[in-house]
Amino acid sequence: MSQLKKIGMLNREGMAACNAGHVEDALFQLGQAEKMARRLKSPLHEAKLRNNIGLVHQMSGRRDEALACFRLALRRAAEGAGSDNPLHRIIARNLDRLEQTEIEEAA
């Protein structure tokens, strides 16, 4: 199996684990996939995985970790394809929503 297929498989399994409420399993699988993407020097795959890791953290109430993941994902997406691409827009929207929630709760 190619490395990209393994990354895709780990991503799908990680998100399925998250949806089933198995946060630590999800983070492990997504983390393994992200390490593989980093070794392959694939910033877009890395950005997608970092975004998904951020979503898992957000869903489990770990806001600081989610913010860090979204910010890193945003940088990697821009490095991979500039800031005018669909992945970058999705990540920016996730980051904006989380930051807006923090502002609203602080008020």
Side-chain angles (χ1 to χ4, degrees), residues 20-91:
H22 305 291
V23 172
E24 296 308 317
D25 289 340
L27 291 173
F28 177 78
Q29 290 172 326
L30 292 168
Q32 292 299 309
E34 191 267 340
K35 287 177 189 174
M36 292 172 71
R38 204 171 339 124
R39 281 195 304 267
L40 289 174
K41 298 184 186 333
S42 179
L44 291 178
H45 285 95
E46 193 177 333
K48 180 178 180 177
L49 291 157
R50 264 293 145 194
N51 180 65
N52 287 350
I53 292 169
L55 291 171
V56 173
H57 282 305
Q58 183 179 3
M59 292 170 70
S60 63
R62 300 173 185 163
R63 287 193 177 156
D64 291 340
E65 292 90 340
L67 285 169
C69 286
F70 290 146
R71 289 176 181 144
L72 178 58
L74 204 58
R75 281 196 306 270
R76 298 304 284 153
E79 290 170 12
S83 59
D84 190 28
N85 69 75
L87 179 58
H88 190 275
R89 286 190 292 274
I90 289 167
I91 297 165

Side-chain angles (χ1 to χ4, degrees), residues 93-104:
R93 186 172 54 237
N94 289 338
L95 179 59
D96 288 344
R97 285 180 183 157
L98 185 56
E99 289 175 337
Q100 186 60 38
T101 301
E102 279 193 323
I103 291 168
E104 291 170 1

